[in-house]
């Protein structure tokens, strides 16, 4: 009887030991995963970030901005929150650079804030630059025909019959593409009906070109095939009659 009791107790102790070991393993695995997740979060939060935009609200420790968008389509960006403290450095960047205080900035100022983002997407700023607002680039490219040519400008007509006035800049580069070769020419060499590809910027509805490629509609002499004259005309052969309804190859 005692032997049976000892055996039963041994079995119970064995299963309890196994259960405890499994629990410890699960706990250890869970703690390992938790540590890895925390490590990832810490790594992300420790990477420096920047918020760029226009100030919409200011409090004693918080600056609210509207995010600047680079698309230049007039869209408004999302609202971003920036926190500052006594260690945050404020710098005004313009014709001269100088250190300022939080009290020196105002709603409507354009800022670039640098720091570390917390879990609530608030940027804890270490440095804030107050500068002029960035402007989207107005560089464009145009493919059109020269419909009117003058000494200092071209009137271009697109495939949709849209009109555009082109004026060259002082440093304009004009290149003719003839027979797949590039040749540098003058702006005055452009002719009516020439197809052009131009690169530049829009300024008050005037396209200021900085580089122009001219695709001439007039073929060059070298590209025009010539037929050498024959010494004397040759008689054409007499036609033969075929019994087939289709010509014999």
């Amino acid at each position: 009887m005692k032997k049976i009791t000892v055996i039963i107790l041994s079995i119970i102790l064995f299963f309890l030991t196994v259960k405890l070991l499994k629990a410890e393993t699960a706990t250890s695995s869970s703690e390992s995963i938790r540590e890895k997740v925390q490590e990832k979060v810490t790594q992300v939060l420790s990477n420096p970030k920047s918020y760029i935009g226009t100030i919409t609200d200011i409090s004693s420790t918080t600056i609210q901005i509207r995010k600047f968008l680079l698309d230049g389509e007039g869209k408004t960006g999302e609202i971003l929150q920036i926190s500052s403290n006594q260690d945050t450095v404020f710098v005004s960047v313009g014709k001269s650079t100088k250190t300022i205080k939080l009290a020196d900035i105002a709603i409507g100022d354009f800022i670039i804030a640098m720091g570390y983002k917390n879990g609530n997407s608030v940027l804890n700023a270490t440095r804030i630059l107050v500068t002029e607002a960035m402007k989207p680039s107005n560089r464009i490219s145009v493919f059109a025909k020269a419909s009117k040519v003058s000494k200092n400008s071209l009137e271009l007509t697109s495939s949709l019959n849209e009109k555009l006035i082109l004026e060259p800049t002082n440093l304009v580069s004009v290149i003719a593409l003839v027979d797949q070769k590039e040749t540098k020419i003058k702006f005055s060499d452009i002719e009516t009906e020439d197809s052009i590809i131009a690169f530049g910027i829009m300024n008050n509805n005037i396209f200021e070109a900085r580089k122009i490629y001219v695709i001439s509609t007039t073929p060059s002499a070298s590209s025009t095939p010539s037929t050498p004259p024959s010494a004397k005309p040759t008689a054409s052969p007499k036609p033969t009659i075929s019994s087939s309804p289709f010509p014999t190859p």
Side-chain angles (χ1 to χ4, degrees), residues 208-223:
E208 297 181 350
R210 298 181 178 178
K211 193 157 192 174
I212 300 173
Y213 289 95
V214 180
I215 307 170
S216 179
T217 57
T218 305
S220 66
S222 61
S223 63

Side-chain angles (χ1 to χ4, degrees), residues 103-142:
D104 295 323
I105 66 176
I107 293 174
D109 284 347
F110 188 85
I111 67 171
I112 301 173
M114 294 165 281
Y116 299 90
K117 190 166 64 172
N118 65 21
N120 296 321
S121 295
V122 176
L123 186 75
N124 298 319
T126 57
R127 190 176 184 85
I128 295 178
L129 307 180
V130 182
T131 183
E132 291 183 1
M134 292 189 216
K135 295 180 181 179
S137 175
N138 56 353
R139 295 181 182 178
I140 63 171
S141 60
V142 171

